[in-house]
Amino acid sequence: MTTDSAPRSASRSPARRRLRLLLVFVLGLVPWSVQTFTTGSATLLFPWGLVGSATGSVTTITDFFLRFTMGLPDYILVWPVGVACYLVALGSALSGVLFGREDVRLTAAGLALAGVTQLEVARGFSVQPGRTAWPVGTVLLWAVAGFLYWSRANERDADGSSR
């Protein structure tokens, strides 16, 4: 029996860890929800804030919740919960790059849960008259979560390891 550690799973390679971090990081740069209005304007909801496409105005998530908190509907209150889930996933992927220790299940679960919260945000915006919300983030978060989880599972099966 050999104890050679060379045939380790590719997910343990630095290149794979950096790729996972890049995928998760990019999710923080794309809009998670796009609200379109019958007037033709749109608002982009990012994990870090809102951008009005017509005016280019930016409202950060901290301004939104610390300055404009009066009478917020319940569906918008899950936005920061989704951001927290995303930050858990980002922290897990970053840990993989910095320390070589990442639980891909945690990364994928954080992204999947963030996607669920953004589906609720989009649903809440869509029930308002004259507005439709597109849960772009939900689709992207779930796609990356699925890719990370299933690629890790396939690597584990190919490697024959249990981790």
Side-chain angles (χ1 to χ4, degrees), residues 32-35 43-46 50 61 64-65 73-83 113-128 131-138:
W32 284 6
S33 183
V34 177
Q35 288 88 46
T43 299
L44 306 175
L45 182 132
F46 293 88
L50 296 165
I61 191 170
F64 191 82
F65 285 102
D74 290 341
Y75 66 85
I76 195 69
L77 298 177
V78 297
W79 176 24
V81 173
V83 172
L113 291 172
V116 169
T117 65
Q118 297 318 297
L119 191 60
E120 174 60 17
V121 170
R123 186 211 55 81
F125 276 125
S126 287
V127 298
Q128 297 177 10
R131 179 186 287 197
T132 303
W134 305 95
V136 176
T138 298

Side-chain angles (χ1 to χ4, degrees), residues 36-50:
T36 56
F37 299 87
T38 54
T39 62
S41 64
T43 299
L44 306 175
L45 182 132
F46 293 88
W48 46 265
L50 296 165

Side-chain angles (χ1 to χ4, degrees), residues 17 21 88-102 107:
R17 291 190 300 259
L21 176 60
V88 166
L90 184 61
S92 176
L94 184 60
S95 173
V97 170
L98 295 178
F99 309 113
R101 298 188 55 84
E102 174 189 8
T107 306

Side-chain angles (χ1 to χ4, degrees), residues 11 13-29 86-104 107-108 111 141 144-145 147-148 151:
S11 70
S13 75
R16 282 293 221 186
R17 291 190 300 259
R18 285 192 301 271
L19 174 63
R20 283 197 300 267
L21 176 60
L22 177 64
L23 286 172
V24 174
F25 178 77
V26 167
L27 290 172
L29 304 177
Y86 167 74
L87 290 174
V88 166
L90 184 61
S92 176
L94 184 60
S95 173
V97 170
L98 295 178
F99 309 113
R101 298 188 55 84
E102 174 189 8
D103 187 341
V104 177
T107 306
L111 296 177
L141 289 158
V144 172
F147 172 76
L148 295 179
S151 66

